[in-house]
Amino acid sequence: MRLFLCEKPSQAKDIAKVLGATQRGNGCINGDGVTITWCVGHLLETAPPEAYDESYKKWSLSQLPIVPDKWLLTVKKETQSQFKTVKALLKKTTELIIATDADREGEMIARELIDYCSYRGKVKRLWLSALNESSIRQALSSLKDGNETLPLYHSALSRSRADWLIGMNLSRLFTLLGRHAGYDGVLTVGRVQTPTLTLVVNRDMQIEKFVAKPYWTITAKLANNQTPFIANWIPPEAVTDEQGRCIHQNVADSVFNQILSGPKMAQVLSVTTEAVKETAPLAFDLTTLQVVCSNKFGFEAQETLDIAQALYEKHKATTYPRSDCGYLPESMRSEAAVVLDAIGKTDPSMLPVLAKLDITIQSRIWNDKKLTAHHGIIPTLEPVNLGSMTEKERLMYQLIRSHYLAQFMPQHVYNRTVAQLQCNDALFQATGKQIVEMGWRSLMKDTSEEEVLDTTQSQVLPPLTEGMVCELKHAELETKQTKPPKPYTQGELIKDMKNIAKYVTDPRLKQKLRDTTGIGTEATRAGIIKNLITRGFLISKGKSIRSTGAAFSLMAFVPKTITDPGMTAIWEQALDDIEQGHITIDDFIAKQSQWITQLVQQYAQSSMSIEPTKTPAKETLPCPECGAATVRRNGQYGEFLACSRYPECKGIIKGKSKSKKK
């Protein structure tokens, strides 16, 4: 039997359609001599420490570090039934085609099953960048040999095991040190979550330590032939800060007084005009969608992902959401007419807009060379029911739709004019924007990420020429204060996780992080932020997120090698070396184990400074599962004691029922 192993049911359905397989089975789709099944993400996970030794259930410094001699995997409880299906199919398979996502993680999802289930048959690789019919047919005609992509599995497995070593050992280490200081919560540490938390802590420290400084501006209201416009004073460099703001009040006062006492006029020194052409924005990738939805609608990162997932799975309205790419395969251009027709049938109010589109426009979005494992998020080929969507789902659908429609509209074109004027020996500058062609912006005035993130306002200048004299109508001197950095929103934090390279100084590491799109992935960043909130390291305040006292204490205590995103870049270089066969998994894990051992030895006898957890009103008992402290919670059936390590440990002590009087 020939078996296709996909990552998700939706992939299996698309591939089955091309293969002509239509018979639904239990967790699979059958055809003539072929079966297509799926994994629902990872069906296996790295076993917890207690799977190696029962004594690890109770956390102790004396047990650290925990470094497995032989690594174990366990079947995920929530997807046990699908695992059984895949395992049974592998036993009957003579040729396996891996059809998971075309990346490291997709390779690992399939290969760990192959190893765990001891499959020894032929292996081929279906390498897909898109799930439209033509892309699938092309990939089916050029299957890769399984050995070609095996190194991807080795690098993904190395990353997974190294993440386990850091997470399990250092989380236990710093949690136990925290307990000695009176803090009963869990202090988790991770390769991605810790640098992410550091970003927020550092931003909050900048805000806390910020001291406002005054600066002065002069604004002149000028006129040419009774047409008013605004010009701003350009102070000399000798009296400005790095942002070009005047920081010497006496200079600003002197210039302002000269303007008021002198002739009420300003002479044009120079005028430059350039034509600016803006191409339409790409389709959304998940990060950009999270940024725009956070800033525009106040959506949390996980909420944006959940809504996008609902549009994809429930409503079949948009394509796969966990994409890190805004480009589309060139082969999908032929489907544009079908997509536009579906949009018109979905929302007839869009028909006047659709009538103005030019399907022959060659947008930059169609580019096979820019594709990653997934293409940009766009509307699907079939009409959908807008009435079945929630308000938030409709808002997001309209965002995604607008970005797609923009590809078939002209460029946004405007003339940008910069005029410099002299008023009583003081230099002023006026900037104007004259729109020539609205183009795609007529469709996206309130929806594009550019509009959301760019608050720059521009005026229309009257005709100006060098030497022309303009009338000075009014001048105003203002004292202003520098403002502290703004707190992170979830969208902005996601964006900085992706663009983490800007916080790294080493040129080689900086480039590596750019090449690997930062820390975390499109699929995991929202979950990392959610976990930091759940574990009490971050709190939401309106649209903003702020770090807690525990986060400040932990980030001040853990080694810089953990908080520095440069470590991820070093790892990525090592993972590349594993892919290329320069080093082995064992070499990489041995180095990580040695490093973890040194950190444990270095910190095991240290004292952490952290605010103790408030003593509960009633005495609590240790967790029956792991021995950690418990905290009182109220549930459906009254008060109970829950492990402070939740969700890592789910041990509870149920409340005692009151005895009946005899």
Side-chain angles (χ1 to χ4, degrees):
M1 182 183 72
R2 199 181 197 207
L3 178 67
F4 282 77
L5 181 59
C6 301
E7 190 163 329
K8 296 169 283 289
S10 59
Q11 285 178 325
K13 184 179 178 181
D14 291 331
I15 293 172
K17 183 178 179 180
V18 174
L19 292 172
T22 57
Q23 185 180 353
R24 290 301 299 261
N26 179 25
C28 63
I29 305 172
N30 297 306
D32 185 13
V34 66
T35 296
I36 303 94
T37 190
W38 52 86
C39 294
V40 199
H42 286 276
L43 296 179
L44 302 170
E45 58 188 353
T46 308
E50 52 266 31
Y52 297 92
D53 192 323
E54 281 289 322
S55 66
Y56 288 145
K57 278 190 174 182
K58 186 172 182 179
W59 291 18
S60 170
L61 285 173
S62 62
Q63 297 169 334
L64 300 180
I66 302 170
V67 180
D69 292 325
K70 182 179 180 180
W71 290 84
L72 303 177
L73 292 173
T74 59
V75 179
K76 282 189 171 183
K77 292 181 181 179
E78 57 268 30
T79 51
Q80 275 185 336
S81 61
Q82 187 61 24
F83 167 77
K84 290 178 181 178
T85 295
V86 174
K87 183 179 181 182
L89 289 170
L90 283 172
K91 286 183 178 179
K92 297 183 285 185
T93 297
T94 55
E95 183 181 34
L96 174 67
I97 293 89
I98 298 173
T100 50
D101 286 352
D103 54 23
R104 280 180 189 161
E105 208 63 25
E107 196 74 22
M108 182 174 174
I109 286 171
R111 297 283 184 173
E112 63 189 3
L113 282 167
I114 291 174
D115 288 350
Y116 192 84
C117 298
S118 301
Y119 173 76
R120 296 292 180 266
K122 293 180 181 178
V123 177
K124 293 290 183 73
R125 186 55 155 108
L126 182 69
W127 198 256
L128 284 169
S129 59
L131 287 170
N132 58 300
E133 183 176 341
S134 60
S135 294
I136 293 173
R137 289 192 183 281
Q138 183 178 353
L140 285 170
S141 67
S142 55
L143 292 174
K144 295 176 179 289
D145 185 274
N147 289 328
E148 285 187 50
T149 58
L150 183 60
L152 285 175
Y153 170 49
H154 294 158
S155 64
L157 186 61
S158 300
R159 179 207 52 75
S160 175
R161 289 178 177 177
D163 276 341
W164 189 97
L165 287 171
I166 286 181
M168 289 297 176
N169 283 289
L170 299 189
S171 293
R172 290 189 177 214
L173 171 65
F174 293 114
T175 295
L176 291 168
L177 293 175
R179 285 183 194 163
H180 293 164
Y183 183 82
D184 286 336
V186 179
L187 297 174
T188 54
V189 174
R191 176 180 59 90
V192 177
Q193 81 159 50
T194 302
T196 300
L197 184 57
T198 300
L199 288 175
V200 185
V201 168
N202 288 346
R203 175 70 61 84
D204 287 346
M205 288 178 64
Q206 290 171 3
I207 295 171
E208 184 180 317
K209 295 179 179 179
F210 180 80
V211 177
K213 296 179 180 179
Y215 66 96
W216 290 265
T217 65
I218 302 175
T219 304
K221 183 177 181 181
L222 305 170
N224 174 38
N225 293 328
Q226 303 305 312
T227 303
F229 63 97
I230 300 297
N232 296 304
W233 175 46
I234 307 298
E237 288 186 11
V239 297
T240 62
D241 61 11
E242 59 275 10
Q243 275 76 46
R245 299 173 296 208
C246 177
I247 55 176
H248 292 274
Q249 183 178 7
N250 60 331
V251 176
D253 287 340
S254 175
V255 171
F256 185 64
N257 290 331
Q258 287 176 20
I259 292 172
L260 293 183
S261 60
K264 299 298 185 287
M265 54 177 284
Q267 185 176 26
V268 179
L269 299 179
S270 64
V271 181
T272 58
T273 299
E274 64 171 337
V276 180
K277 297 180 179 180
E278 292 182 353
T279 57
L282 298 172
F284 279 109
D285 57 64
L286 180 58
T287 294
T288 307
L289 187 62
Q290 287 169 321
V291 171
V292 174
C293 287
S294 172
N295 292 348
K296 185 174 178 61
F297 305 129
F299 293 174
E300 293 183 351
Q302 186 64 47
E303 182 182 18
T304 296
L305 177 55
D306 292 342
I307 295 170
Q309 198 71 24
L311 289 175
Y312 168 64
E313 290 184 353
K314 178 182 176 182
H315 300 289
K316 309 291 191 272
T318 56
T319 56
Y320 183 66
R322 298 169 189 251
S323 173
D324 62 350
C325 175
Y327 290 91
L328 300 176
E330 294 166 17
S331 61
M332 289 181 70
R333 278 201 74 202
S334 61
E335 300 174 351
V338 181
V339 176
L340 297 179
D341 182 63
I343 289 173
K345 291 176 180 177
T346 296
D347 186 357
S349 70
M350 292 298 296
L351 290 175
V353 174
L354 295 172
K356 298 177 182 178
L357 302 183
D358 182 357
I359 202 169
T360 66
I361 290 178
Q362 181 67 41
S363 165
R364 65 187 174 116
I365 200 171
W366 318 101
N367 193 330
D368 288 345
K369 294 179 181 179
K370 297 282 189 177
L371 290 175
T372 58
H374 304 289
H375 60 67
I377 308 168
I378 63 170
T380 53
L381 297 166
E382 300 293 332
V384 296
N385 182 7
L386 281 181
S388 66
M389 296 182 189
T390 65
E391 181 182 358
K392 290 181 177 180
E393 288 168 347
R394 282 195 300 274
L395 287 171
M396 187 179 293
Y397 172 75
Q398 289 163 359
L399 276 177
I400 294 168
R401 179 183 68 187
S402 295
H403 274 233
Y404 184 76
L405 297 181
Q407 309 310 315
F408 310 103
M409 300 188 75
Q411 293 178 321
H412 175 66
V413 183
Y414 64 91
N415 290 329
R416 184 176 184 270
T417 300
V418 177
Q420 291 199 335
L421 306 97
Q422 184 174 329
C423 184
N424 293 293
D425 296 328
L427 182 63
F428 281 77
Q429 181 169 293
T431 303
K433 178 179 179 181
Q434 180 70 52
I435 295 175
V436 178
E437 170 70 68
M438 277 300 295
W440 57 267
R441 279 198 180 273
S442 63
L443 178 69
M444 304 176 63
K445 288 181 180 178
D446 299 317
T447 57
S448 74
E449 67 268 23
E450 288 87 352
E451 290 290 331
V452 172
L453 301 178
D454 183 5
T455 58
T456 302
Q457 299 297 317
S458 208
Q459 62 188 323
V460 177
L461 294 178
L464 298 174
T465 58
E466 186 177 336
M468 180 180 287
V469 176
C470 300
E471 182 182 0
L472 175 62
K473 293 284 190 179
H474 177 72
E476 183 176 1
L477 171 66
E478 286 187 271
T479 302
K480 297 183 178 181
Q481 295 280 333
T482 55
K483 295 181 179 179
K486 292 182 179 180
Y488 270 112
T489 64
Q490 290 200 26
E492 287 161 351
L493 182 56
I494 289 266
K495 185 179 180 181
D496 267 7
M497 290 172 73
K498 185 170 184 174
N499 300 314
I500 196 73
K502 67 182 181 181
Y503 296 103
V504 175
T505 55
D506 185 290
R508 185 175 58 85
L509 300 182
K510 181 186 285 284
Q511 186 59 49
K512 194 65 189 176
L513 287 168
R514 285 174 178 159
D515 294 341
T516 55
T517 63
I519 56 174
T521 67
E522 305 293 324
T524 61
R525 290 181 187 123
I528 289 165
I529 295 174
K530 184 178 180 181
N531 284 337
L532 288 171
I533 293 173
T534 301
R535 289 166 176 164
F537 292 131
L538 297 178
I539 54 175
S540 295
K541 291 186 176 181
K543 289 185 179 181
S544 302
I545 50 174
R546 306 297 295 267
S547 51
T548 63
F552 268 84
S553 298
L554 180 61
M555 293 304 98
F557 188 67
V558 298
K560 297 302 179 186
T561 50
I562 302 295
T563 63
D564 184 2
M567 182 182 71
T568 291
I570 294 172
W571 272 30
E572 286 296 335
Q573 183 60 59
L575 297 180
D576 285 348
D577 289 341
I578 291 171
E579 280 186 36
Q580 295 165 14
H582 299 322
I583 62 173
T584 66
I585 297 178
D586 291 341
D587 291 338
F588 178 70
I589 296 301
K591 289 181 180 179
Q592 300 308 312
S593 300
Q594 183 181 14
W595 175 59
I596 292 293
T597 300
Q598 291 172 346
L599 285 179
V600 170
Q601 293 172 347
Q602 178 183 348
Y603 279 83
Q605 304 303 318
S606 302
S607 296
M608 179 184 287
S609 176
I610 189 169
E611 183 179 345
T613 306
K614 292 182 179 179
T615 305
K618 300 178 182 179
E619 183 181 0
T620 62
L621 300 172
C623 172
E625 294 291 330
C626 69
T630 54
V631 293
R632 293 189 178 275
R633 303 190 188 279
N634 288 311
Q636 183 178 357
Y637 303 105
E639 190 179 73
F640 66 98
L641 295 174
C643 182
S644 60
R645 289 180 49 234
Y646 179 86
E648 282 78 9
C649 176
K650 298 179 181 178
I652 63 170
I653 303 173
K654 295 180 180 179
K656 296 180 180 179
S657 58
K658 295 180 180 178
S659 59
K660 297 179 181 179
K661 292 183 179 179
K662 294 181 180 179

